[in-house]
Amino acid sequence: MMLRQVNGHSSGSDAQGRASLKGDLQEFLGGEAPLHQLDDLTKVNPVTLETVLRCLQARYTEDIFYTNAGCTLVALNPFKPIPELYAPELMLEYHAASQPQKLKPHIFTVGEQTYRNVKSLIEPINQSIVVSGESGAGKTWTSRCLMKFYAVVAASPTSCENHKIAERIEQRILNSNPVMEAFGNACTLRNHNSSRFGKFIQLQLNRAQQMTGAAVQTYLLEKTRVACQASSERNFHIFYQICKGATQDERLQWYLPEGAAFSWLPNPENSLEEDCFELTREAMLHLGIDTPTQNNIFKVLAGLLHLGNVHFADSDDEAQPCQLMDGSQASARTSASLLQLSENMLLETVQIRTIKAGKQQQVFRKPCSRAECDTRRDCLAKLIYARLFDWLVSVINSSICADSNSWTAFIGLLDVYGFESFPDNSLEQLCINYANEKLQQHFVAHYLKAQQEEYALEGLEWSFVNYQDNQTCLDLLEGSPISICSLINEECRLNRPSSAAQLQTRIESALAGKPCLGPNKLSREPSFVVVHFAGPVRYHTEGLVEKNKDPVPPELTGLLQQSQDPLLMMLFPTNPEEKTQEELSGQSRAPALTVVSKFKASLEQLLQVLHSTTPHYIRCIKPNSQSQPQTFLQEEVLSQLEACGLVETIHISAAGFPIRVSHQNFVERYKLLRRLRLRTSSGLWGLCSAKGPSEQPLCAKEATLQPLLQDILHALPALIQTATPPSDPAETTQVPLYCGRTKIFMTDSMLELLECGRAQMLEQCARCIQCGWRRHRLQKQEKQRRAAVLIQAAIRSWLTRKHIRRLHSAATVIKRAWRKWRIRMAYLASKELDGMEDKPMPQAPSSLSSSLSPAHTKLLEAIIHLWPMGLVLANSAVGVRGFQRKLVAHACLRLPTGNPSNNIQTPQQDQAGITSIRALPQGSIKFHCRKSPLQYADICPEPPASSVTGFNQILLERHRPVQV
């Protein structure tokens, strides 16, 4: 009975849940309000299945679907679309967060942690995410969202060209999902989009942590689903897509009329979200598969659908082949036309078997029974579809895979089929559950078992936790010398008919006493029971050996090699050197490769890749088997929690040290923390494991540690003291870190503290570098400024000197010209005064004064009176000042002289005026009284009583020349 939860309360489920709890937990679990706030199941106390179940139920009721469980992320399938939970903005928020682990638990937290681990020094660099869970738990959706997350955060090129290349790679990687889901997923009883194959997607990153490509590796496609589907299940999605999404022209070309019924297409009336034909075609186009090739692919698939409608009737004569049933002839003709095969050859190959016997390899033709005809028809369809699927995977890899030199690390996403248990389980379910057992052992070996053994090896005092180990089940399935797989392979090698009852008897007798081989007393059909880690599963032995052989008759391969279809010619090339598996096994007598053998080899190769990486785990939980939202069935969830060993994981995560780093890597990453070392010598004895399983000193062998490691460990108390509030002084004396013999063990909180301290030291170093650079830049600028000032001063000085020299040259030229002019004037004056002979001056005519007007007469008298003064002053020496000039001025202006003792000598003075004036110079002088050479100098027409009739040039003789 399904119990629906409304706001976390229901009369049936709540009563059953509370009745199963112990009395001492009632008070703790009485209210559900605080439980949904616990982001990590390690915080639940005590850690039991009941408390973990209650916490998950409370969070699921509040639409919180992700919860941490130590190193594992628990993901509950909401069974409803929640677009805001996977929006690109939320992806960028987790990517940009400095500490994404402090955000709410999400698959983006795991994705960001793996992406950052690639950039860190913690080895190994390659990362892997194992997404596990039952069928329908949400593994495919989780892998799809992780690929979108990496496509968003791992592609940030700088140039435009690189950005376009990155976008093309992202689009191709994302488009590989719809194509592979269309050809490899189907609707089952437990899941509408169940992966019927396993895939390991390798996202390739370069040195700049940018996504450059990807590679896809597939495992064990359930090709039997093409020809055989269980009740209430469907074929692969692609068959329904072409029947519902084809156009009218395509329906005519592929012979798919509306409402046509096909035997291999059950439940066509159910419409699913995955039946989107246009999305598949568009994705194939982005992957490089052009439209003609797509049409060719869909035409071949349509031919397989018509091949499934070919049915045979029993023949009355064993020597005659089986005849077709009514209505099958048209289907055979249509199928042969679509596959471009001869109809007669197609029917003949299916109805008649060719046998080669003897040393001469004689060929015998034997008609097949009705069951054999159906088997050969199904084998033909499975062969075509398997080759087509492998070809699509190769096309996808050639489109998205990068060159091996262009990437340095990868992040792997493992999405495999979940644990399956159906009413009718065969070889496919056996291989699927075998793979889940191997992955569970990988988880147990990597985290639970290896962690405890590593603690003991490193010297940590550890109280071991009892966990569920599935090694006994793996011994039953693959152990040596006898196991279920080895017995099935042996039946295939024996050239004898094998019955289902005989195989059951042999398995029960050979493996009697094995703890994981369950009792099988109530089954009416031949079968055996295996107790897996997730529960017991009953496997029917009918047809198990034939499926393991997976025989492909050589005549079927030869038939397909004769096809004229371009796609089939490429899938089945005609190569005479290539031999079939039966031919090789018949010639070499070597055991043929069976389905179990090939699957086991590929699984071992996958586990080797996982062991070489740092794994991360996401456990997908299915809240109910009906895929109903807001429905949490405690019984179903409880069985899944017990199966995956989640409680043991929580126990070890809560008590242990999930972070382990080698001494060398620890020193290389955190050697900057040596600067935080306290001045007080506290010693290593104060560094103990805080709240951990060991109370002994942090490092008992101090002398064997490297000096750098010792300095770092000495600095840890200072780091914790700076990060611990003053109200908790007791916590500053202990460090949640343990130093083993070869590794450093720490908790997540200690790693976060170390990263914060490292970031602070890097910031301080960056500041020091910035300060030094700024100081250097300022000093350089100051030197440049000083140099510029000196250069400017020199230039200005040079320009000034140049200007002064030009002025000096100009002054020199002017002075020289002035001197020349003065000398010439002096020479002319001297020549005029002293070089002329003394001649009588003619008298001016009397008519001159009478002819002038009175005004002109006065002007002429002023000129006559004042011109000697200008002549004297212009030609006198510079040193003549004061009294000498006054004498000249008085004489020229005929001013009265009041002082009779003036040193003015007048050798000849009469009424005609002064004939010679000489100033008294400082040096010795001589008077030269000569008659003026000027005409009419001594003649006046009407000489007044006080008029001047003449003026002599004053000549000064000194001992040195006069300086001007």
Side-chain angles (χ1 to χ4, degrees):
M1 178 179 179
M2 183 179 66
L3 301 176
R4 183 173 297 275
Q5 300 292 320
V6 180
N7 295 329
H9 295 281
S10 175
S11 59
S13 63
D14 191 63
Q16 293 178 4
R18 293 183 183 275
S20 63
L21 299 176
K22 297 181 181 180
D24 57 347
L25 299 178
Q26 292 293 332
E27 182 178 359
F28 173 72
L29 298 174
E32 292 186 357
L35 288 179
H36 73 272
Q37 300 177 1
L38 298 178
D39 293 338
D40 199 328
L41 295 179
T42 58
K43 300 177 182 179
V44 178
N45 191 21
V47 181
T48 60
L49 276 174
E50 290 79 6
T51 56
V52 170
L53 185 65
R54 296 289 294 176
C55 182
L56 292 177
Q57 182 178 1
R59 293 176 64 82
Y60 187 79
T61 305
E62 297 293 333
D63 285 344
I64 304 175
F65 308 107
Y66 296 106
T67 308
N68 291 324
C71 68
T72 307
L73 179 68
V74 180
L76 296 173
N77 194 339
F79 292 119
K80 62 181 179 180
I82 310 176
E84 64 275 5
L85 193 59
Y86 308 99
E89 295 78 13
L90 190 62
M91 298 179 187
L92 296 176
E93 180 181 353
Y94 277 84
H95 178 60
S98 58
Q99 297 177 356
Q101 65 273 10
K102 288 189 176 182
L103 300 177
K104 293 182 179 180
H106 204 286
I107 56 175
F108 299 155
T109 307
V110 181
E112 181 62 23
Q113 182 180 359
T114 58
Y115 184 69
R116 295 189 181 188
N117 285 351
V118 172
K119 298 188 290 186
S120 66
L121 298 177
I122 301 179
E123 295 180 356
I125 297 177
N126 297 326
Q127 308 289 310
S128 61
I129 301 177
V130 181
V131 184
S132 60
E134 290 190 0
S135 179
K139 301 183 301 300
T140 301
W141 174 262
T142 301
S143 301
R144 188 189 306 171
C145 292
L146 285 173
M147 291 183 64
K148 291 182 180 178
F149 174 79
Y150 288 121
V152 171
V153 304
S156 56
T158 55
S159 64
C160 181
E161 181 180 359
N162 292 337
H163 183 67
K164 293 181 180 179
I165 295 175
E167 283 186 348
R168 185 169 64 251
I169 293 173
E170 295 170 27
Q171 193 64 33
R172 288 182 177 179
I173 293 175
L174 295 179
N175 285 327
S176 64
N177 271 333
V179 176
M180 299 193 71
E181 289 181 9
F183 286 85
N185 290 19
C187 178
T188 62
L189 292 175
R190 294 193 173 189
N191 188 5
H192 290 168
N193 190 29
S194 177
S195 298
R196 308 319 300 164
F197 69 103
K199 62 180 177 181
F200 181 72
I201 304 175
Q202 192 181 70
L203 303 178
Q204 300 160 348
L205 306 176
N206 57 13
R207 295 186 181 275
Q209 289 76 48
Q210 297 175 359
M211 189 184 302
T212 59
V216 181
Q217 185 177 1
T218 59
Y219 304 95
L220 191 64
L221 174 69
E222 190 187 11
K223 56 185 179 182
T224 57
R225 183 169 290 271
V226 177
C228 181
Q229 303 85 29
S231 177
S232 300
E233 293 190 356
R234 301 203 319 174
N235 208 327
F236 291 104
H237 293 323
I238 188 62
F239 292 103
Y240 298 89
Q241 291 180 2
I242 61 176
C243 290
K244 295 181 181 180
T247 62
Q248 293 297 331
D249 294 339
E250 292 172 344
R251 290 182 183 275
L252 294 176
Q253 294 176 10
W254 304 336
Y255 300 97
L256 297 175
E258 291 282 354
F262 297 98
S263 300
W264 289 351
L265 203 67
N267 304 315
E269 67 279 357
N270 297 335
S271 297
L272 301 178
E273 183 184 354
E274 289 75 20
D275 295 341
C276 184
F277 189 44
E278 291 299 327
L279 180 62
T280 303
R281 300 199 69 161
E282 184 179 357
M284 295 176 70
L285 193 63
H286 282 98
L287 290 173
I289 305 176
D290 53 11
T291 302
T293 307
Q294 294 182 25
N295 294 331
N296 198 358
I297 294 173
F298 302 140
K299 184 182 68 172
V300 171
L301 295 178
L304 296 183
L305 289 179
H306 287 281
L307 182 63
N309 286 348
V310 177
H311 302 286
F312 299 91
D314 292 329
S315 177
D316 297 334
D317 186 3
E318 295 183 356
Q320 297 297 325
C322 297
Q323 299 299 321
L324 294 176
M325 297 182 64
D326 296 339
S328 298
Q329 187 68 39
S331 298
R333 186 182 304 108
T334 303
S335 177
S337 174
L338 291 174
L339 299 178
Q340 296 191 17
L341 295 171
S342 171
E343 179 184 356
N344 296 331
M345 187 177 296
L346 174 63
L347 293 176
E348 182 182 352
T349 305
V350 174
Q351 294 172 337
I352 299 176
R353 181 176 59 176
T354 303
I355 302 175
K356 293 182 180 181
K359 295 182 179 179
Q360 302 297 329
Q361 293 292 313
Q362 297 181 356
V363 180
F364 299 93
R365 296 167 58 87
K366 179 182 177 181
C368 298
S369 63
R370 176 184 176 183
E372 290 176 344
C373 289
D374 292 342
T375 301
R376 293 169 70 87
R377 176 202 62 196
D378 296 348
C379 183
L380 180 63
K382 292 187 293 184
L383 178 61
I384 294 176
Y385 195 82
R387 289 284 184 94
L388 176 60
F389 185 80
D390 293 338
W391 176 79
L392 283 174
V393 173
S394 64
V395 170
I396 291 174
N397 283 330
S398 62
S399 175
I400 65 178
C401 188
D403 188 11
S404 58
N405 298 326
S406 63
W407 60 277
T408 58
F410 69 86
I411 298 176
L413 297 178
L414 179 60
D415 177 17
V416 294
Y417 11 62
F419 183 82
E420 293 184 350
S421 179
F422 300 117
D424 186 8
N425 301 290
S426 186
L427 183 67
E428 293 83 11
Q429 282 70 39
L430 180 62
C431 292
I432 288 172
N433 295 336
Y434 167 58
N436 281 273
E437 290 285 352
K438 294 290 289 185
L439 293 176
Q440 176 66 15
Q441 188 201 38
H442 174 264
F443 172 74
V444 170
H446 173 77
Y447 187 74
L448 304 178
K449 183 178 178 180
Q451 190 173 25
Q452 293 193 139
E453 292 179 354
E454 190 174 18
Y455 287 167
L457 184 63
E458 292 289 335
L460 278 75
E461 293 182 0
W462 179 258
S463 57
F464 287 87
V465 177
N466 295 326
Y467 54 86
Q468 183 180 359
D469 193 357
N470 63 338
Q471 185 60 45
T472 55
C473 184
L474 287 174
D475 292 338
L476 175 65
L477 293 175
E478 63 172 6
S480 179
I482 300 177
S483 62
I484 293 177
C485 292
S486 63
L487 291 175
I488 296 175
N489 289 333
E490 187 176 349
E491 287 291 330
C492 296
R493 288 192 296 268
L494 296 176
N495 191 11
R496 66 178 185 184
S498 176
S499 64
Q502 183 180 359
L503 179 61
Q504 175 191 356
T505 303
R506 189 176 182 190
I507 289 176
E508 291 179 349
S509 61
L511 300 174
K514 294 288 185 178
C516 290
L517 186 64
N520 187 25
K521 298 180 180 180
L522 300 179
S523 177
R524 297 180 180 180
E525 300 178 357
S527 60
F528 60 93
V529 178
V530 177
V531 181
H532 292 280
F533 73 95
V537 179
R538 185 184 304 276
Y539 299 98
H540 296 276
T541 57
E542 184 67 32
L544 197 64
V545 176
E546 290 299 323
K547 288 183 178 180
N548 190 35
K549 287 181 180 179
D550 193 19
V552 178
E555 53 266 27
L556 295 183
T557 306
L559 172 67
L560 295 175
Q561 288 177 347
Q562 297 178 11
S563 173
Q564 300 302 316
D565 184 79
L567 178 62
L568 294 180
M569 292 175 63
M570 181 173 53
L571 296 179
F572 300 92
T574 304
N575 188 2
E577 298 180 358
E578 183 180 357
K579 297 183 179 181
T580 62
Q581 181 178 341
E582 291 187 357
E583 294 176 348
L584 291 175
S585 61
Q587 293 178 3
S588 61
R589 299 296 180 183
L593 289 177
T594 62
V595 174
V596 173
S597 300
K598 292 186 289 186
F599 180 72
K600 184 179 178 181
S602 61
L603 193 58
E604 291 295 335
Q605 182 181 4
L606 172 64
L607 291 174
Q608 289 180 2
V609 176
L610 293 180
H611 283 299
S612 64
T613 62
T614 301
H616 305 264
Y617 302 95
I618 299 178
R619 294 288 189 180
C620 297
I621 303 296
K622 191 175 183 179
N624 60 84
S625 58
Q626 290 77 21
S627 302
Q628 296 294 327
Q630 292 295 324
T631 303
F632 191 93
L633 297 182
Q634 294 184 355
E635 294 80 4
E636 296 185 10
V637 177
L638 186 62
S639 62
Q640 297 177 61
L641 295 180
E642 290 176 343
C644 65
L646 192 61
V647 178
E648 289 81 5
T649 303
I650 298 171
H651 272 301
I652 298 180
S653 299
F657 300 98
I659 309 299
R660 300 175 300 276
V661 186
S662 64
H663 288 173
Q664 181 179 359
N665 292 338
F666 184 82
V667 170
E668 289 179 357
R669 186 164 184 83
Y670 301 113
K671 57 186 176 181
L672 291 174
L673 300 180
R674 293 180 298 161
R675 302 185 180 186
L676 294 176
R677 183 173 179 178
L678 289 176
R679 297 180 181 179
T680 59
S681 58
S682 58
L684 288 179
W685 295 97
L687 303 176
C688 299
S689 177
K691 300 181 181 180
S694 176
E695 298 297 336
Q696 63 181 359
L698 175 66
C699 183
K701 297 182 179 180
E702 182 179 345
T704 61
L705 294 177
Q706 303 175 6
L708 293 177
L709 182 60
Q710 295 181 20
D711 294 339
I712 297 174
L713 297 179
H714 277 296
L716 293 183
L719 180 63
I720 294 182
Q721 185 177 3
T722 56
T724 304
S727 59
D728 299 332
E731 296 185 3
T732 60
T733 59
Q734 294 181 338
V735 177
L737 181 144
Y738 194 96
C739 180
R741 294 186 176 93
T742 60
K743 296 181 180 180
I744 298 293
F745 297 83
M746 70 186 81
T747 60
D748 290 329
S749 60
M750 188 62 202
L751 179 64
E752 179 182 346
L753 188 63
L754 288 173
E755 289 296 326
C756 291
R758 181 174 178 269
Q760 292 177 1
M761 295 308 302
L762 289 176
E763 184 179 358
Q764 293 180 5
C765 294
R767 288 180 179 177
C768 292
I769 294 174
Q770 290 176 354
C771 292
W773 167 249
R774 289 170 182 170
R775 181 170 52 252
H776 167 71
R777 187 177 61 181
L778 291 177
Q779 291 177 353
K780 184 178 180 181
Q781 291 178 354
E782 181 63 21
K783 290 181 180 178
Q784 292 177 350
R785 190 188 66 81
R786 293 179 180 177
V789 170
L790 292 177
I791 294 174
Q792 291 176 357
I795 292 297
R796 288 170 182 170
S797 176
W798 175 77
L799 292 175
T800 303
R801 289 195 300 269
K802 182 179 179 182
H803 182 63
I804 292 175
R805 283 197 298 268
R806 292 182 61 186
L807 293 178
H808 182 71
S809 301
T812 303
V813 172
I814 294 173
K815 186 167 61 176
R816 185 179 298 112
W818 170 251
R819 286 178 178 175
K820 288 181 179 180
W821 180 82
R822 282 196 59 195
I823 293 172
R824 191 161 76 175
M825 291 300 296
Y827 171 74
L828 292 177
S830 174
K831 185 177 181 182
E832 182 180 1
L833 296 175
D834 299 335
M836 293 184 62
E837 296 180 356
D838 197 6
K839 296 180 179 180
M841 302 302 297
Q843 298 291 328
S846 59
S847 64
L848 182 62
S849 59
S850 61
S851 63
L852 295 176
S853 62
H856 288 141
T857 304
K858 292 181 179 179
L859 179 60
L860 181 59
E861 290 178 357
I863 293 174
I864 295 172
H865 286 292
L866 295 179
W867 76 264
M869 176 181 175
L871 182 61
V872 172
L873 294 179
N875 293 275
S876 63
V878 177
V880 180
R881 301 182 182 91
F883 182 70
Q884 290 84 351
R885 287 181 177 267
K886 290 181 179 181
L887 290 178
V888 175
H890 279 74
C892 292
L893 297 178
R894 295 183 300 170
L895 297 177
T897 55
N899 192 355
S901 61
N902 287 338
N903 295 325
I904 300 177
Q905 299 178 10
T906 57
Q908 183 181 354
Q909 186 174 358
D910 53 7
Q911 293 180 352
I914 302 173
T915 60
S916 178
I917 300 174
R918 179 175 296 274
L920 296 178
Q922 296 179 358
S924 59
I925 60 174
K926 293 181 178 180
F927 285 96
H928 300 273
C929 296
R930 297 181 181 177
K931 189 177 181 179
S932 175
L934 299 179
Q935 293 182 355
Y936 309 109
D938 297 331
I939 299 173
C940 182
E942 294 178 358
S946 60
S947 62
V948 179
T949 60
F951 197 85
N952 292 328
Q953 175 69 32
I954 301 174
L955 299 179
L956 304 179
E957 294 182 3
R958 296 172 179 239
H959 298 289
R960 55 184 180 178
V962 178
Q963 298 293 330
V964 178

